[in-house]
Amino acid sequence: RHSTWASDGSLEKEPLLERCAAVRYSDLVESSRPIEVPPPVLELCGSLARHGFQAWVVGGCVRDSLRGVPVADWDLTTDATPEEMRKVFRRTIPTGIEHGTLTVVHRGEHYEVTTLRGEGTYTDGRRPDHVRFVSAIEEDLARRDFTVNAIAFDPTTQAFVDPWGGRDDLQRRVLRAVRDPRERFAEDGLRVLRAARFVATLEFALDPATEAAIPATLDTLRRVSAERVHDEWAKALVKAERPSLAFDVMRRTGMLAVHAPVVAALDEPTFSRAMRRVDAAPKDLCGRLASLVFDVNEGPDRWLRDLRFSNDERERTAHLWRACRTDGCEAWDDRQVRRFLRGATRARALQVLALDLADRTARGVSLESNTRLAERCLQQLAQGVPLASSDLAIGGEDVMRALGRGPGRHVGLVLAALLERTLDEPSLNERVALLAQVPEVANSLEVS
Ligand code: ATP
Ligand code: MG
């Protein structure tokens, strides 16, 4: 049993194992159970039916309601064309009209309604060259990526359309490509990434034939835009209890070397430790990214830039990675604890400690040192010790006045030197005491 840190920095009392057990339980599937479609969605389907059209809920919402987990978005598909839909619904937004998708605004909520589509031809490995509308729901389902994503349900008749055995695969917890995986992966490189992501978020096994098709299609994966790679990585890292399930697939199939060569190059024991660390870290994007590259010697910045992580995400990840160095903390005196906190910063101290906890969990060492360090940090924080120049009892104006000089580089240097002194001795953080030291500090810095 061990406790973990929640992403808000608080300590979670509920042990990880029990949390995983709870997820498994809620995942139990009763394949014959109809889907409870919320009334507004039922109303949309009813409106289409009254105009002589068929409508189904389809994709992620069907998969997730069969798994018994909350549905984020209810997506609909219909045999009405976008033109016809516009006659049925009062308020529509042409979000993806060229793909046959309209956003219907109903009772203040947005719903994506898409005309039945067939498989297009792919020449760029990214998107079909053209969209072809079809009249059969089966044909629409045949172009979808995985069997568990290719189930449709007609709320009006309560009938499932499940030509690829998606419900069986849900029950068996298997992720399987619809039709020939080699062909499907070769036409759209995003699908192999989605495979790895779904293995982790659903905690499903990857069907062996589906997995075997991946290595031969990596060239198509290389053509996927960095933005879409970023989105899949972010989902795998944040939505999965155990992102390692995705990274294990990526490593086995060669996908990891395409997008994260620094991680793929780790030797086996280091990689396994990184996997345990990622799983033990709170479900926070930057904490989990930092867990992944914890043992990589160069900073993660360039790699994260290649994967289009934002400036803010890169800065936070690199900061956690840098600040989480706690070797020998058992022997630290209070001055060292304060310097650790200065590096972590007041705002992120708990995130750094949570990363340290994940690392110790990954290494299988006692968590006692983390608990003790966290207590000592909280003690210092509660005393309001200064951790940054801005915490000092005097500011830049005071330094300039004391030296009789205008602004310049020396002001920051003097404040930094005063901070060093107060980190050793926090009681020095008092206006009069600090002002008295300004000339001497400036002198010693040869900046006066
Ligand atoms: P989530 O929204 O939880 O990430 P989802 O299954 O709803 O999962 P979306 O990206 O919202 O995924 O796509 C909706 C549906 O569209 C999928 O369930 C699948 O049927 C189909 N789909 C999405 N992307 C692809 C793709 N690259 N190739 C084939 N079918 C796809
Ligand atoms: Mg979705």
Side-chain angles (χ1 to χ4, degrees):
R1 280 175 74 97
H2 65 263
S3 309
T4 50
W5 293 86
S7 46
D8 64 0
S10 61
L11 199 61
E12 269 180 14
K13 293 284 177 283
E14 191 188 3
L16 196 62
L17 283 178
E18 277 171 30
R19 218 164 56 192
C20 289
V23 169
R24 292 252 159 65
Y25 181 74
S26 70
D27 268 2
L28 291 176
V29 173
E30 264 185 69
S31 61
S32 57
R33 171 172 78 189
I35 289 179
E36 270 181 48
V37 178
V41 177
L42 211 54
E43 287 157 14
L44 293 178
C45 295
S47 299
L48 285 162
R50 273 195 306 283
H51 286 78
F53 300 111
Q54 276 187 289
W56 297 263
V57 287
V58 70
C61 61
V62 176
R63 178 197 68 220
D64 288 342
S65 41
L66 287 173
R67 291 166 64 223
V69 303
V71 168
D73 303 301
W74 288 91
D75 295 331
L76 282 82
T77 185
T78 176
D79 55 0
T81 64
E83 291 315 308
E84 291 167 329
M85 279 190 247
R86 279 170 146 165
K87 288 177 192 150
V88 176
F89 299 114
R90 227 176 319 145
R91 286 195 61 198
T92 61
I93 306 166
T95 31
I97 197 119
E98 67 282 9
H99 309 112
T101 303
L102 275 188
T103 298
V104 177
V105 187
H106 180 53
R107 293 215 223 163
E109 299 283 336
H110 287 197
Y111 299 92
E112 293 210 333
V113 189
T114 306
T115 304
L116 294 174
R117 287 161 42 180
E119 187 60 279
T121 44
Y122 291 73
T123 47
D124 66 353
R126 291 197 282 205
R127 60 184 77 82
D129 303 327
H130 60 272
V131 169
R132 198 163 52 83
F133 294 146
V134 299
S135 55
I137 177 72
E138 287 80 5
E139 208 178 332
D140 178 278
L141 296 174
R143 56 119 188 142
R144 292 177 184 266
D145 49 5
F146 302 104
T147 63
V148 295
N149 288 346
I151 311 169
F153 178 74
D154 179 340
T156 319
T157 61
Q158 302 257 302
F160 281 100
V161 188
D162 181 16
W164 305 101
R167 282 173 300 172
D168 284 346
D169 283 343
L170 268 180
Q171 192 126 50
R172 281 199 294 260
R173 306 175 67 91
V174 173
L175 190 76
R176 182 195 317 275
V178 169
R179 299 186 283 139
D180 179 358
R182 280 200 52 170
E183 266 173 42
R184 308 310 308 294
F185 292 165
E187 58 196 19
D188 177 0
L190 186 65
R191 290 175 185 154
V192 292
L193 254 180
R194 285 172 59 88
R197 189 253 291 189
F198 282 126
V199 161
T201 55
L202 304 175
E203 299 194 14
F204 279 18
L206 190 55
D207 159 61
T210 302
E211 177 167 335
I214 298 178
T217 55
L218 294 181
D219 272 338
T220 324
L221 176 62
R222 289 193 184 89
R223 290 202 290 273
V224 174
S225 74
E227 287 73 17
R228 306 192 83 174
V229 176
H230 166 274
D231 293 351
E232 292 301 322
W233 270 69
K235 282 183 185 168
L237 284 165
V238 175
K239 289 192 168 183
E241 285 303 317
R242 293 159 59 201
S244 66
L245 297 171
F247 295 117
D248 283 334
V249 170
M250 290 188 199
R251 181 149 152 121
R252 290 201 301 266
T253 55
M255 292 161 70
L256 197 61
V258 174
H259 295 129
V262 282
V263 183
L266 295 174
D267 63 39
E268 193 51 47
T270 312
F271 180 77
S272 306
R273 195 164 63 238
M275 293 298 98
R276 292 193 299 274
R277 191 186 302 113
V278 166
D279 289 353
K283 284 167 123 180
D284 156 75
L285 180 63
C286 298
R288 283 192 153 169
L289 281 169
S291 303
L292 199 58
V293 291
F294 198 84
D295 294 318
V296 176
N297 283 327
E298 73 213 77
D301 197 69
R302 230 199 55 176
W303 164 62
L304 293 176
R305 189 186 299 265
D306 290 344
L307 276 190
R308 300 290 192 280
F309 283 96
S310 68
N311 291 345
D312 175 60
E313 288 163 344
R314 293 201 323 266
E315 185 273 323
R316 276 174 50 210
T317 304
H319 178 208
L320 292 175
W321 176 82
R322 221 177 24 246
C324 192
R325 303 294 146 176
T326 59
D327 275 349
C329 67
E330 298 79 4
W332 284 356
D333 60 20
D334 285 349
R335 293 180 300 185
Q336 284 167 296
V337 171
R338 287 192 289 269
R339 287 199 160 76
F340 166 75
L341 278 173
R342 185 247 314 258
T345 73
R346 200 178 301 274
R348 295 181 187 158
L350 292 176
Q351 276 151 286
V352 174
L353 286 164
L355 180 57
D356 180 64
L357 181 66
D359 181 55
R360 289 174 194 276
T361 306
R363 284 189 283 131
V365 300
S366 158
L367 306 179
E368 189 63 36
S369 303
N370 175 270
T371 311
R372 181 79 192 105
L373 179 60
E375 283 166 359
R376 295 182 69 192
C377 285
L378 291 174
Q379 212 170 40
Q380 293 292 330
L381 291 168
Q383 288 171 18
V385 296
L387 296 173
S389 300
S390 55
D391 295 337
L392 290 173
I394 64 171
E397 291 287 333
D398 300 308
V399 173
M400 289 187 262
R401 213 173 303 124
L403 294 175
R405 284 182 64 185
R409 213 169 68 90
H410 61 285
V411 178
L413 290 175
V414 167
L415 288 173
L418 290 173
L419 176 64
E420 285 300 330
R421 293 186 178 193
T422 53
L423 283 167
D424 286 335
E425 188 41 71
S427 66
L428 283 177
N429 191 26
E430 195 265 310
R431 246 187 105 72
V432 177
L434 289 180
L435 281 174
Q437 293 184 57
V438 170
E440 175 227 328
V441 165
N443 243 329
S444 68
L445 290 168
E446 296 178 349
V447 294
S448 60

